[in-house]
Amino acid sequence: MGKNLLKALSVLILGQGFQSWRPALALWGVGTGVTLSLLLSNTPIFKNDVLTKIPLFGNIWVDNTPAEDKPF
């Protein structure tokens, strides 16, 4: 049973079966990444560790507000 499963997975990944799924899987992956970024953009850890390190758009999420102007 293990050999059959391994053979089926290799045919799916390397064969013609996977070729037709690539665009759909890529679209779902990009959509998932964008959705997670939007949902987690207010989380400080995600903002500091991920969003501020994006090369061209990272400065958008940098907080330059002085500490005395922050209510909390």
Side-chain angles (χ1 to χ4, degrees):
M1 180 164 173
K3 291 180 183 180
N4 291 338
L5 180 62
L6 184 61
K7 185 177 180 180
L9 286 175
S10 66
V11 168
L12 178 66
I13 292 172
L14 300 174
Q16 292 288 5
F18 187 67
Q19 295 288 340
S20 61
W21 284 94
R22 280 187 187 175
L25 291 174
L27 187 63
W28 277 97
V30 168
T32 302
V34 168
T35 301
L36 285 175
S37 294
L38 287 173
L39 291 175
L40 294 173
S41 64
N42 287 329
T43 307
I45 291 174
F46 186 77
K47 188 186 298 184
N48 293 332
D49 290 347
V50 177
L51 294 178
T52 58
K53 294 185 175 124
I54 297 174
L56 296 176
F57 303 106
N59 292 332
I60 294 172
W61 290 281
V62 173
D63 187 16
N64 294 328
T65 307
E68 60 268 5
D69 290 341
K70 294 181 183 179
F72 299 105

